[in-house]
Amino acid sequence: CLCTLAAILRGTLRGAPGARAGVVKKLLGPLDAVLEGFYNAILLHHFDSHHYTSPYSEAANNLISFIDLLEALLASRTELELPLRCQRILFLKVSYVLNIISSSIPYVIKKKFILLLKKCVLYKSREDAKSGSLFLQTPSLCEDMLALSNAVLQVVNLAWLNQIPLSGKSSYFGSSEAAPGHDSQGGSDQTVLRALSLVVLKALEFKIHNSATGAEIK
Protein backbone atom coordinates (compact mmCIF):
# COMPACT_ATOMS: atom_id res chain seq x y z
CA CYS A 1 0.00 0.00 0.00
CA LEU A 2 2.84 2.41 0.86
CA CYS A 3 4.61 1.70 -2.43
CA THR A 4 1.38 2.14 -4.40
CA LEU A 5 0.53 5.45 -2.77
CA ALA A 6 4.07 6.79 -3.31
CA ALA A 7 3.97 5.70 -6.98
CA ILE A 8 0.56 7.37 -7.56
CA LEU A 9 1.79 10.55 -5.91
CA ARG A 10 4.95 10.65 -8.04
CA GLY A 11 2.92 9.96 -11.16
CA THR A 12 0.56 12.81 -10.29
CA LEU A 13 3.49 15.22 -9.89
CA ARG A 14 4.62 14.36 -13.41
CA GLY A 15 1.18 15.27 -14.80
CA ALA A 16 -0.17 18.53 -16.21
CA PRO A 17 0.70 21.45 -13.86
CA GLY A 18 -2.81 22.91 -13.86
CA ALA A 19 -4.50 19.75 -12.61
CA ARG A 20 -1.91 18.57 -10.08
CA ALA A 21 -3.07 20.60 -7.07
CA GLY A 22 -6.62 19.29 -7.28
CA VAL A 23 -5.51 15.69 -7.69
CA VAL A 24 -3.02 15.91 -4.80
CA LYS A 25 -5.66 17.38 -2.49
CA LYS A 26 -8.25 14.79 -3.54
CA LEU A 27 -5.74 11.97 -3.03
CA LEU A 28 -4.18 13.07 0.28
CA GLY A 29 -7.08 14.93 1.92
CA PRO A 30 -8.96 11.81 3.13
CA LEU A 31 -5.65 10.18 4.15
CA ASP A 32 -4.26 13.16 6.07
CA ALA A 33 -4.98 11.91 9.60
CA VAL A 34 -4.23 8.30 8.62
CA LEU A 35 -0.76 9.17 7.32
CA GLU A 36 0.05 11.15 10.46
CA GLY A 37 -1.03 8.12 12.48
CA PHE A 38 1.27 5.94 10.39
CA TYR A 39 4.13 8.35 11.01
CA ASN A 40 3.60 8.25 14.79
CA ALA A 41 3.15 4.47 14.89
CA ILE A 42 5.97 3.43 12.55
CA LEU A 43 8.60 5.88 13.78
CA LEU A 44 7.72 6.13 17.47
CA HIS A 45 5.02 4.04 19.18
CA HIS A 46 5.80 0.68 17.52
CA PHE A 47 9.42 1.30 16.58
CA ASP A 48 11.86 -1.33 17.84
CA SER A 49 15.36 -1.40 16.38
CA HIS A 50 15.52 -5.16 17.04
CA HIS A 51 13.09 -5.66 14.15
CA TYR A 52 15.60 -4.11 11.76
CA THR A 53 18.70 -6.19 12.42
CA SER A 54 18.91 -7.07 8.72
CA PRO A 55 18.47 -4.55 5.87
CA TYR A 56 16.78 -7.37 3.91
CA SER A 57 14.04 -8.13 6.46
CA GLU A 58 10.37 -7.44 5.77
CA ALA A 59 10.33 -4.81 8.53
CA ALA A 60 13.29 -2.99 6.98
CA ASN A 61 11.68 -3.15 3.55
CA ASN A 62 8.47 -1.65 4.94
CA LEU A 63 10.39 1.15 6.63
CA ILE A 64 12.26 1.94 3.40
CA SER A 65 8.90 2.06 1.57
CA PHE A 66 7.64 4.52 4.18
CA ILE A 67 10.73 6.71 3.68
CA ASP A 68 9.97 6.73 -0.06
CA LEU A 69 6.41 7.85 0.71
CA LEU A 70 7.69 10.65 2.99
CA GLU A 71 9.92 11.79 0.13
CA ALA A 72 6.93 11.86 -2.25
CA LEU A 73 4.87 13.80 0.32
CA LEU A 74 7.67 16.35 0.60
CA ALA A 75 7.80 16.74 -3.19
CA SER A 76 4.00 17.14 -3.38
CA ARG A 77 4.01 19.96 -0.86
CA THR A 78 4.69 22.59 -3.53
CA GLU A 79 1.34 21.82 -5.18
CA LEU A 80 -0.80 23.14 -2.32
CA GLU A 81 -0.84 26.73 -1.07
CA LEU A 82 -1.78 25.48 2.39
CA PRO A 83 0.01 22.14 2.88
CA LEU A 84 -1.78 19.28 4.58
CA ARG A 85 -0.62 17.99 7.95
CA CYS A 86 0.81 14.83 6.36
CA GLN A 87 3.02 17.03 4.15
CA ARG A 88 4.31 18.94 7.18
CA ILE A 89 4.71 16.11 9.68
CA LEU A 90 8.33 15.35 8.72
CA PHE A 91 9.29 18.90 9.75
CA LEU A 92 7.09 19.16 12.84
CA LYS A 93 8.04 15.76 14.29
CA VAL A 94 11.55 15.39 12.89
CA SER A 95 12.78 14.29 16.35
CA TYR A 96 11.42 10.79 15.61
CA VAL A 97 13.68 10.58 12.57
CA LEU A 98 16.68 11.96 14.46
CA ASN A 99 16.23 9.30 17.15
CA ILE A 100 16.03 6.52 14.57
CA ILE A 101 19.20 7.74 12.83
CA SER A 102 21.13 7.37 16.09
CA SER A 103 19.59 3.95 16.88
CA SER A 104 21.03 0.55 15.94
CA ILE A 105 19.14 0.15 12.65
CA PRO A 106 21.08 -0.92 9.50
CA TYR A 107 23.30 1.71 7.92
CA VAL A 108 21.37 1.74 4.63
CA ILE A 109 18.22 2.95 6.46
CA LYS A 110 20.15 5.59 8.42
CA LYS A 111 21.57 6.87 5.13
CA LYS A 112 18.12 7.11 3.50
CA PHE A 113 16.80 9.11 6.47
CA ILE A 114 19.83 11.43 6.42
CA LEU A 115 19.40 12.10 2.68
CA LEU A 116 15.69 12.76 3.32
CA LEU A 117 16.64 15.40 5.92
CA LYS A 118 18.94 16.94 3.34
CA LYS A 119 15.99 17.22 0.94
CA CYS A 120 13.99 18.94 3.68
CA VAL A 121 16.57 21.71 4.15
CA LEU A 122 17.09 22.04 0.38
CA TYR A 123 13.32 22.33 -0.10
CA LYS A 124 13.54 25.63 1.76
CA SER A 125 16.36 26.79 -0.55
CA ARG A 126 14.33 25.90 -3.65
CA GLU A 127 11.39 27.92 -2.36
CA ASP A 128 13.74 30.87 -1.69
CA ALA A 129 15.01 30.72 -5.27
CA LYS A 130 11.51 30.39 -6.72
CA SER A 131 10.13 33.41 -4.84
CA GLY A 132 13.30 35.49 -5.25
CA SER A 133 13.09 36.41 -1.58
CA LEU A 134 15.06 34.96 1.31
CA PHE A 135 13.15 33.87 4.43
CA LEU A 136 9.84 35.37 3.25
CA GLN A 137 7.77 32.32 2.33
CA THR A 138 4.43 31.09 3.57
CA PRO A 139 4.05 31.12 7.36
CA SER A 140 3.68 27.33 7.41
CA LEU A 141 7.06 26.81 5.72
CA CYS A 142 8.84 29.17 8.10
CA GLU A 143 7.13 27.51 11.07
CA ASP A 144 8.11 24.06 9.80
CA MET A 145 11.72 25.01 9.10
CA LEU A 146 12.03 26.58 12.55
CA ALA A 147 10.70 23.38 14.15
CA LEU A 148 13.18 21.29 12.15
CA SER A 149 16.07 23.67 12.91
CA ASN A 150 15.34 23.69 16.64
CA ALA A 151 15.16 19.90 16.80
CA VAL A 152 18.39 19.41 14.81
CA LEU A 153 20.37 21.97 16.81
CA GLN A 154 19.06 20.54 20.08
CA VAL A 155 20.33 17.02 19.35
CA VAL A 156 23.60 18.29 17.86
CA ASN A 157 24.19 20.18 21.10
CA LEU A 158 23.78 16.84 22.91
CA ALA A 159 26.57 15.18 20.88
CA TRP A 160 24.12 13.42 18.52
CA LEU A 161 26.65 13.59 15.67
CA ASN A 162 29.11 11.43 17.60
CA GLN A 163 26.62 8.55 17.40
CA ILE A 164 26.26 8.67 13.61
CA PRO A 165 28.38 6.20 11.61
CA LEU A 166 29.88 7.46 8.37
CA SER A 167 30.10 4.03 6.77
CA GLY A 168 28.59 0.61 7.19
CA LYS A 169 31.51 -0.66 9.28
CA SER A 170 33.89 1.95 10.69
CA SER A 171 34.61 5.68 10.96
CA TYR A 172 32.28 7.78 13.10
CA PHE A 173 31.53 11.50 12.81
CA GLY A 174 34.19 13.39 14.75
CA SER A 175 36.55 10.41 14.91
CA SER A 176 39.56 9.67 12.73
CA GLU A 177 40.12 6.25 14.25
CA ALA A 178 39.36 3.22 12.10
CA ALA A 179 37.76 0.18 13.67
CA PRO A 180 40.12 -2.72 14.39
CA GLY A 181 40.92 -4.69 11.25
CA HIS A 182 39.76 -1.94 8.87
CA ASP A 183 41.85 0.19 6.58
CA SER A 184 42.17 3.70 7.99
CA GLN A 185 42.34 5.21 4.49
CA GLY A 186 39.13 6.68 3.12
CA GLY A 187 36.59 4.70 5.17
CA SER A 188 34.02 7.52 5.41
CA ASP A 189 30.88 7.81 3.32
CA GLN A 190 31.38 11.27 1.84
CA THR A 191 27.74 11.51 0.71
CA VAL A 192 26.51 11.10 4.29
CA LEU A 193 29.22 13.40 5.65
CA ARG A 194 28.20 16.19 3.23
CA ALA A 195 24.49 15.65 3.85
CA LEU A 196 24.84 15.79 7.66
CA SER A 197 27.03 18.88 7.44
CA LEU A 198 24.53 20.60 5.16
CA VAL A 199 21.59 19.78 7.44
CA VAL A 200 23.39 21.25 10.47
CA LEU A 201 24.58 24.37 8.59
CA LYS A 202 21.14 25.07 7.11
CA ALA A 203 19.49 24.59 10.50
CA LEU A 204 21.97 27.03 12.02
CA GLU A 205 21.46 29.53 9.19
CA PHE A 206 17.68 29.49 9.50
CA LYS A 207 17.80 29.71 13.30
CA ILE A 208 20.12 32.74 13.18
CA HIS A 209 17.91 34.56 10.66
CA ASN A 210 14.82 33.89 12.79
CA SER A 211 16.19 34.52 16.28
CA ALA A 212 14.89 37.47 18.23
CA THR A 213 17.93 38.17 20.42
CA GLY A 214 21.69 38.20 20.18
CA ALA A 215 21.91 35.82 23.12
CA GLU A 216 19.78 33.28 21.29
CA ILE A 217 21.98 33.56 18.19
CA LYS A 218 25.09 33.02 20.30
Side-chain angles (χ1 to χ4, degrees), residues 30-99:
L31 296 173
D32 198 20
V34 175
L35 291 173
E36 182 175 0
F38 272 8
Y39 187 92
N40 295 335
I42 293 172
L43 303 187
L44 179 67
H45 301 311
H46 299 299
F47 179 79
D48 184 348
S49 59
H50 295 102
H51 294 158
Y52 305 98
T53 51
S54 167
Y56 308 107
S57 67
E58 183 181 0
N61 192 48
N62 289 339
L63 186 55
I64 288 171
S65 296
F66 190 59
I67 296 171
D68 291 340
L69 177 58
L70 290 174
E71 190 175 325
L73 288 170
L74 177 66
S76 71
R77 179 177 174 141
T78 55
E79 300 302 323
L80 302 181
E81 190 173 337
L82 293 173
L84 297 167
R85 179 80 179 177
C86 65
Q87 295 170 305
R88 303 179 62 193
I89 195 71
L90 183 57
F91 292 85
L92 299 177
K93 296 185 178 180
V94 72
S95 59
Y96 299 176
V97 171
L98 298 173
N99 289 336

Side-chain angles (χ1 to χ4, degrees), residues 77 83 88 91-92 139-149:
R77 179 177 174 141
R88 303 179 62 193
F91 292 85
L92 299 177
S140 63
L141 180 56
C142 288
E143 180 185 333
D144 293 355
M145 274 302 300
L146 194 56
L148 184 144
S149 299

Side-chain angles (χ1 to χ4, degrees), residues 8 18 30 59 63 67 88 91 111 113 116 135 139 155 160 172 174:
I8 292 171
L63 186 55
I67 296 171
R88 303 179 62 193
F91 292 85
K111 184 170 182 175
F113 270 123
L116 181 60
F135 307 112
V155 295
W160 175 79
Y172 277 69

Side-chain angles (χ1 to χ4, degrees), residues 169-182:
K169 294 179 180 177
S170 63
S171 185
Y172 277 69
F173 200 108
S175 171
S176 58
E177 294 182 9
H182 290 288

